[in-house]
Each structure stands twice: as structure tokens, then as C-alpha cells.
Amino acid sequence: MKIIVKANYESVSKEAFEIISNYIKNNPHACLGLATGSTPIGLYKRLIKAYERHEISFKYVTTYNLDEYVGIDRNHPQSYYYFMHNHLFNHIDINPENVHIPENDIKHIDDIAKAYNEQLKKTSIDLQILGIGSNGHIGFNEPGTSFDQETFIVTLDEQTKRDNARFFKSPALVPTHAITMGIKNIMDSKKIMLIAVGKRKAAIIKAVVEGKVTTEIPATILQKHPDVTLILDTSAASLINKAYLKNENK
Ligand code: F6R
């Protein structure tokens, strides 16, 4: 696990941007796994700016999103479909046919999960971007999820609903379910880049770096992946034992 520590959110976003934009420049047909949430917004802003400056093109890039809420419309401002179009896809030259975000029609949700999983099995994600929940979830793989889990419908953890209530008008409006890539799908990616910022993430990041691998903290499985980079700000990295920070560069 490579750990990069940067001074603040801006420099974390810049570092993540540089890794991804270089990857796309060298691999114009890259297949990216994408995350939503507050953390990658700065990264997406920089990708848009680089596209506007004609430094990168997404013309041949393919994307697969990690997850989507179930129980809200795709056009709801808090849906991940809406988020991705608002924060990235509407502003770049990606081919809409190459964009994959799990659909969330509740009537067909089991078939949708099965079909998304089949697509993922046929594809190989080159670079997966992850955030992390304060309970250690990646995608929406909540504590207790099997490491062999593939795409599925998850009941959101109470902690996740509390954390995400900040995006909704009232806590009661936070969806109770989501469709998510499973841990196995995530671990099948060739490279993984996890970004985390803020004190709120410090304890879970320490567990991910130093703790034992346990389904109770899903992100600890990343210790077993051959190519993972954590990009952290000083607050998120603040509890990590210094011995683990050989690659630290502020
Ligand atoms: C989002 C996702 C989640 C978030 C995590 C952190 O697609 O898969 O795992 O990455 O909940 O969210 P933020 O960045 O809002 O702290």
C-alpha cells in the first residue's frame, strides 16, 4: 500500500488528478471506476479544467460507477446519476455510451444488479477511484460484507445514513438501500486509488493501514491488493504510525 500525504484538500485533489490525467494520457482507452461523495469533487473539477485546456480527452474512456441509491429517482439531485453528470460527465467529451452507472428502478433491481455484475466481469477496470465511509465502507459495502461479495442491493448502515444526511433536507429522506459493486468487483481492478480527507476519517484510515484484515472494516481488504495508493491530507493521516509513512511527501 503506497501512502501519499498532502497538506490539504486542494493538494490531495491535485495529486489524484495528476495520477488520473497521466493515466488517461498514456491509456486513452482507459476504463475507470468512479466514486461519488464529497471527496472526489475537487478531482473532478480539475479533470474538467484539464479537458477545457485541451490537455486530456475522455473520447475513448469508459467509466463504471461504484454505486447508486435505490428509492430515489435518477433525476433527484442526490442521485449518483445526477451527481456524476453535474460534477463531471456534462462538462467533458465522454461518449454517453461508455458511461455506466447502476440503474435503480426498484421493480427490476435484482436483474439490474445481475446485469451490472455481468458487465463488470467482462470488463477490466484499470483504475478504480475510491472514497471511504467513516465506518470503513468502500462503495456501499458496509461492515460485515463478505470479501467475495459481487454487485448487490445493500441495506445502508445507520452510520452511513447519519453521515450522508448532510446531503438531504432531512435525515428521514436518506435512502435506506443502494445498489453497489461488491468488494470482489473492486478488488478485481488493476489499480486502486483511495482518497480521504479530514479528521473524521483519521481513525478509519489508521485501521485500514495498520489494522488486521476484517470484514468488520471492509476497506482493510485493500491491504491484500497489489496496487493500492492512498492519498490523504494531514488530518486523515494524523493517527497513522509514522513507520507506515515512508512515502510521505507534503
Ligand atoms: C460513493 C461511495 C462511498 C463514498 C464514501 C465517502 O460512490 O462509494 O463509499 O466514497 O461514503 O463519502 P465522502 O467522500 O462524502 O466522505
Side-chain angles (χ1 to χ4, degrees):
M1 206 176 250
K2 181 177 173 191
I3 305 171
I4 300 174
V5 182
K6 293 287 177 182
N8 53 38
Y9 180 65
E10 275 313 310
S11 42
V12 164
S13 301
K14 183 164 181 279
E15 181 72 21
F17 159 74
E18 276 162 11
I19 292 173
I20 293 175
S21 59
N22 284 332
Y23 195 88
I24 294 173
K25 280 180 200 161
N26 293 327
N27 306 275
H29 290 84
C31 178
L32 303 179
L34 299 181
T36 61
S38 53
T39 314
I41 291 176
L43 157 67
Y44 294 154
K45 275 193 184 139
R46 283 175 187 271
L47 288 172
I48 294 168
K49 290 264 178 287
Y51 163 70
E52 289 170 350
R53 290 193 303 264
H54 306 288
E55 288 169 15
I56 48 171
S57 168
F58 295 82
K59 203 165 173 194
Y60 304 112
V61 169
T62 299
T63 64
Y64 283 84
N65 262 81
L66 281 165
D67 42 22
E68 174 63 288
Y69 287 121
V70 175
I72 57 173
D73 192 82
R74 272 191 136 187
N75 296 314
H76 187 291
Q78 294 309 332
S79 83
Y80 290 166
Y81 179 90
Y82 187 98
F83 175 103
M84 287 309 304
H85 286 82
N86 190 28
H87 288 290
L88 186 64
F89 298 142
N90 286 350
H91 313 287
I92 57 174
D93 62 343
I94 196 157
N95 178 349
E97 285 179 10
N98 293 342
V99 166
H100 304 85
I101 303 172
E103 289 180 27
N104 64 353
D105 178 355
I106 194 127
K107 286 197 251 41
H108 307 287
I109 202 69
D110 291 331
D111 290 341
I112 292 170
K114 218 167 143 199
Y116 202 67
N117 201 54
E118 287 311 312
Q119 276 184 310
L120 288 169
K121 276 177 149 166
K122 282 192 215 130
T123 315
S124 148
I125 293 181
D126 297 310
L127 177 53
Q128 173 69 56
I129 300 161
L130 295 178
I132 184 169
S134 63
N135 63 358
H137 74 209
I138 44 177
F140 273 137
N141 291 275
E142 302 286 26
T145 307
S146 160
F147 292 145
D148 297 324
Q149 182 68 55
E150 298 186 335
T151 312
F152 73 121
I153 313 306
V154 59
T155 304
L156 296 176
D157 198 61
E158 289 306 318
Q159 181 65 46
T160 299
K161 286 191 279 181
R162 274 196 297 278
D163 286 349
N164 289 2
R166 69 193 196 278
F167 300 114
F168 291 83
K169 286 198 182 112
S170 114
L173 296 176
V174 182
T176 54
H177 291 77
I179 175 170
T180 183
M181 280 190 204
I183 293 177
K184 176 152 191 329
N185 306 111
I186 294 171
M187 290 294 282
D188 283 344
S189 336
K190 289 188 201 138
K191 287 174 171 294
I192 296 179
M193 186 177 85
L194 184 148
I195 46 182
V197 294
K199 263 237 135 356
R200 193 168 70 86
K201 302 287 172 74
I204 203 71
I205 288 294
K206 181 181 176 66
V208 169
V209 173
E210 301 175 21
K212 75 170 181 6
V213 176
T214 165
T215 54
E216 285 315 305
I217 303 178
T220 55
I221 190 64
L222 298 176
Q223 291 177 18
K224 304 274 186 204
H225 191 281
D227 191 347
V228 175
T229 302
L230 305 189
I231 308 178
L232 312 170
D233 72 350
T234 40
S235 301
S238 58
L239 299 178
I240 302 176
N241 185 317
K242 292 284 173 283
Y244 290 86
L245 296 178
K246 288 188 291 286
N247 296 309
E248 183 171 356
N249 53 40
K250 292 220 167 83

